Every structure is written in C-alpha cells, then in structure tokens.
Amino acid sequence: MSKFKSILLAVGTLFLLAGCSNMEVLNPKGPMAYDSRFLIVYSIIFMVAIVVVVLILFAIFTYKYRYTNNRESGKVHHSVLLETVWFIIPVIILIALMIPTVRSLYLYEEPPKSEDDPMVIYAVSGGYKWFFAYPEEKIETVNHLTIPVDRPVTFKLQAMDTMTSFWVPQLGGQKYAMTAMTMQWTYEAHEEGTYRGRNSNFNGEGFSRHTFNVDAVSQSEYDQWVKEAQSKPTLSQDTFDKQLLPITKNKALTFSGTHMDFVDPAADPEYIFYAYDRFNYEPKDPNFYDDTKGVLDKPKKPARQPQVTNVNYERHGMKINLLKNDEPYNNEFKKEEAHTMDEMESMQKGAKEEAHESGGGH
C-alpha cells in the first residue's frame, strides 16, 4: 500500500471515530430519546436501501445502454409497469416513514398521566443561563438540574430575552422557549447518571456557554438533595436580576425559594429591560456581551413590582402566575396554571392558522 493511501486510511479512520464517544442522540436514557433513536435508525435504513438500489440500477443501466452497445434503444417509453413501480414505491416509502413519525410527534406532546406522579419544573432562559424553579419544593437552581429517575418531569419553558431551545439529547428532543409564552415539554430518565443539556438555538456569542447538566438520581437521593437545597440562602430579586445580565459569569448555583415569588416571565416580558436598567447595563450588541463598562455591582433602582405587560393576558383572560415562597403549590394554583397553558396552546394554533392564511406557513 502506498504512503498516500496509508495516510488517507488513517485520517479517514480518525474522522469516522472522532464522534463515537459523544453520540448522545444514539445513547438514549429515557423513553422519548429511545423513540427518537428508533426513528433515526429506521430512516437511515430506508435511505441506505434506496441509495443501494439506485446505485445498482445506475450500474446496470450504464452497462446495458453503454455507448458501444447502442444497436437498440431501451423500450421504456410509456411503460405502464415502470411508471406504476416508480410511483407506487415512493408512496409506500413515504407512508412507512410518516406513520411512526406522526405517532411519535403526537406522543411527545401528550402530558403525563396523573398516576405517574409527574413533577413540574419551570425552566427559564435568560442572560445565556438556565434557571430551574421547583414550585413544589421551593428551590431554584442555575445552570444545573437534578431530577429523580423513572418519574416524568414536565418543564414549563419560558424565555426572559431571546428565543432559545431546551434540549437534553439523551432524554429526548428539543422544544422552544419563547418570550411572553409558556411552552410545555416532558422528559423522563430511566437510568441514573449525568446528562448534558443546552440551548440548541443559536442566539449570539454566549450560545456556546448556554449549557447545563442534568443529574438523574434515585428518589431517595433526590429527597436528600432537596433537603440540602432548601437550607441554601433564599433567592433574592437582586440576585436574580444580576444573573440575568449576559456579562454575569455562568456558575452552577442553588437557592431556596424561587423567582416565581416576584415575577412571571410570560406575563411580564418587559421585566428584563428593567433588570438591565437596575444595574446600568446596556445590551449594545448581542454578539459582544462582555462589555462591563459602567455596569454596577449593586442595583440603582428598587426591585420591580409584579405586573402584567403581555397584552395577550388581558385578551385571553389569563392571570399572572405568582407563587410566593410561603404558599403551597396546590390545586388552586395548578388550576390557573392549566388555564394559562390552554390559552397559550390556543394562541399558538391561532398564530399558525394566521400564518397559513397569509401565505407565511410552511
């Protein structure tokens, strides 16, 4: 073997093996992720089969109708058999791909059953960080998440600034978090371990650090972690607002209490601008977030009072969802929470229908 071929083989092998250790999408640890892997492998099998058939036919036709063998042209003009074959087979392939894909899409959107004892976490993105509020446990974490295994976790996704995408590859697919909206997404981990999560929607230079770790632990370990977290200092509004600044470094933090004590991001999308102003921060360019000139260590204005600046709340009869740290996450709050999610869903459907009617749908 020539020296060139040896080098080419070595480089090719390194290229093929480069990503094997981090094939997270193909290393599922939850039911949604297992289903996603099945769809990926299932689609690849179809694609490989199609490519193989096309290459074989290409070789056959190239040889059979080569330039030196042109005594008689191929008799395929208006062939009913051939036209039927190359019409029916693609339709069958599309149906075979469509059925499991559509089934999975609807399955992902279904809320977990009450008998499965799902837990709720509010996942809020802002300042290239992730804030995770546990309303029942009354704790909040920044840039890290702890969940129990074999228990569905419903995330209420919200964004304080730019649109982001919440994604933990080993637990399932992604879901967008948008300003002035509350989206819902459910994960479940079937194995203990630490899994990497991130914002998968590019939104500026800070995108590379917009990550978090998910620790999936046993129920007993989770209960112990909750007790320890509840003994941490209470999350103050000043601390929360400072963390919302893109220039604040990303650290894994844990607090008792939650931001739900003083703000509902979906109801008050203008909150972020007040937080910036409190610390004299001016977002000059989202691609250059490290300009600390003039930024204050302590706020110059009082904390913002809870309010509604989202006009859709009044239009759709929604109320601000605040949960004080001394209030229980009970059925009364959950009822209003469910009403808000229903209205958010209807708003999404209305926006899609509007887009299609105006020709902007895809």
Side-chain angles (χ1 to χ4, degrees):
M1 184 181 290
S2 67
K3 186 176 181 181
F4 174 76
K5 288 183 178 178
S6 298
I7 294 173
L8 187 63
L9 179 61
V11 172
T13 303
L14 288 173
F15 177 78
L16 291 172
L17 296 177
C20 289
S21 63
N22 289 315
M23 294 288 284
E24 294 177 331
V25 175
L26 298 180
N27 184 23
K29 302 298 180 181
M32 184 193 295
Y34 276 107
D35 200 50
S36 297
R37 183 180 67 175
F38 165 76
L39 287 176
I40 292 171
V41 175
Y42 183 70
S43 301
I44 288 174
I45 290 173
F46 269 95
M47 287 186 283
V48 170
I50 292 168
V51 169
V52 169
V53 171
V54 169
L55 290 176
I56 291 173
L57 290 175
F58 178 76
I60 292 173
F61 277 80
T62 301
Y63 176 78
K64 186 174 182 179
Y65 300 108
R66 63 192 183 278
Y67 181 74
T68 57
N69 185 30
N70 59 358
R71 295 186 301 273
E72 185 179 0
S73 63
K75 297 178 181 178
V76 297
H77 187 61
H78 293 305
S79 170
V80 175
L81 176 61
L82 286 177
E83 291 186 3
T84 301
V85 168
W86 61 54
F87 176 79
I88 294 296
I89 290 181
V91 170
I92 293 174
I93 292 172
L94 287 175
I95 292 174
L97 289 171
M98 178 191 69
I99 292 174
T101 302
V102 172
R103 180 195 65 82
S104 296
L105 288 174
Y106 278 95
L107 188 64
Y108 296 164
E109 295 292 346
E110 287 184 6
K113 299 175 182 177
S114 57
E115 56 263 29
D116 293 331
D117 189 28
M119 62 180 292
V120 172
I121 297 176
Y122 278 77
V124 180
S125 68
Y128 299 116
K129 304 172 189 72
W130 287 98
F131 300 83
F132 299 103
Y134 297 67
E136 188 167 2
E137 293 82 356
K138 295 293 185 294
I139 54 179
E140 181 150 344
T141 60
V142 183
N143 297 323
H144 73 101
L145 180 65
T146 300
I147 60 173
V149 296
D150 297 323
R151 184 180 177 187
V153 181
T154 297
F155 293 93
K156 308 289 185 180
L157 306 177
Q158 299 173 326
M160 299 293 295
D161 41 35
T162 61
M163 185 173 77
T164 56
S165 178
F166 181 74
W167 188 34
V168 184
Q170 289 183 273
L171 297 183
Q174 65 87 31
K175 184 84 169 184
Y176 288 109
M178 296 182 282
T179 308
M181 294 289 291
T182 303
M183 314 295 284
Q184 187 163 289
W185 201 228
T186 301
Y187 282 150
E188 183 176 349
H190 280 180
E191 295 182 33
E192 294 183 26
T194 299
Y195 312 122
R196 298 193 300 176
R198 66 169 304 108
N199 161 33
S200 63
N201 185 58
F202 184 76
N203 60 342
E205 189 180 11
F207 166 79
S208 62
R209 61 186 173 104
H210 205 171
T211 61
F212 59 96
N213 283 336
V214 180
D215 293 318
V217 299
S218 65
Q219 185 65 50
S220 60
E221 288 180 285
Y222 175 75
D223 293 338
Q224 181 61 36
W225 174 80
V226 169
K227 288 181 181 179
E228 293 175 2
Q230 289 172 338
S231 66
K232 299 289 184 179
T234 303
L235 175 65
S236 68
Q237 197 162 354
D238 290 351
T239 300
F240 181 75
D241 290 359
K242 186 69 176 290
Q243 288 294 320
L244 287 175
L245 306 184
I247 59 172
T248 305
K249 292 183 179 180
N250 292 51
K251 294 181 180 179
L253 305 172
T254 305
F255 301 95
S256 62
T258 74
H259 70 267
M260 298 172 70
D261 182 68
F262 46 80
V263 63
D264 177 356
D268 188 11
E270 295 181 13
Y271 184 95
I272 188 73
F273 303 113
Y274 190 84
Y276 287 168
D277 194 36
R278 291 189 74 202
F279 290 90
N280 204 38
Y281 171 74
E282 295 182 14
K284 299 172 184 176
D285 188 337
N287 293 316
F288 299 96
Y289 57 82
D290 55 354
D291 185 4
T292 60
K293 184 179 179 180
V295 179
L296 305 174
D297 289 329
K298 295 183 179 180
K300 66 179 181 180
K301 287 185 175 182
R304 184 177 175 88
Q305 294 301 308
Q307 53 191 286
V308 177
T309 56
N310 185 346
V311 295
N312 284 317
Y313 268 60
E314 184 177 352
R315 291 174 184 169
H316 291 261
M318 296 183 287
K319 296 179 181 178
I320 186 170
N321 285 335
L322 294 176
L323 186 65
K324 296 297 181 180
N325 290 328
D326 58 353
E327 294 177 349
Y329 182 59
N330 55 19
N331 289 332
E332 185 178 346
F333 182 88
K334 291 177 182 178
K335 184 178 179 181
E336 190 59 42
E337 184 182 57
H339 170 70
T340 299
M341 291 308 306
D342 290 341
E343 293 302 320
M344 291 287 180
E345 185 70 25
S346 68
M347 286 163 56
Q348 291 177 56
K349 290 180 180 178
K352 289 177 182 178
E353 291 171 0
E354 228 175 88
H356 282 292
E357 288 173 3
S358 62
H362 297 283

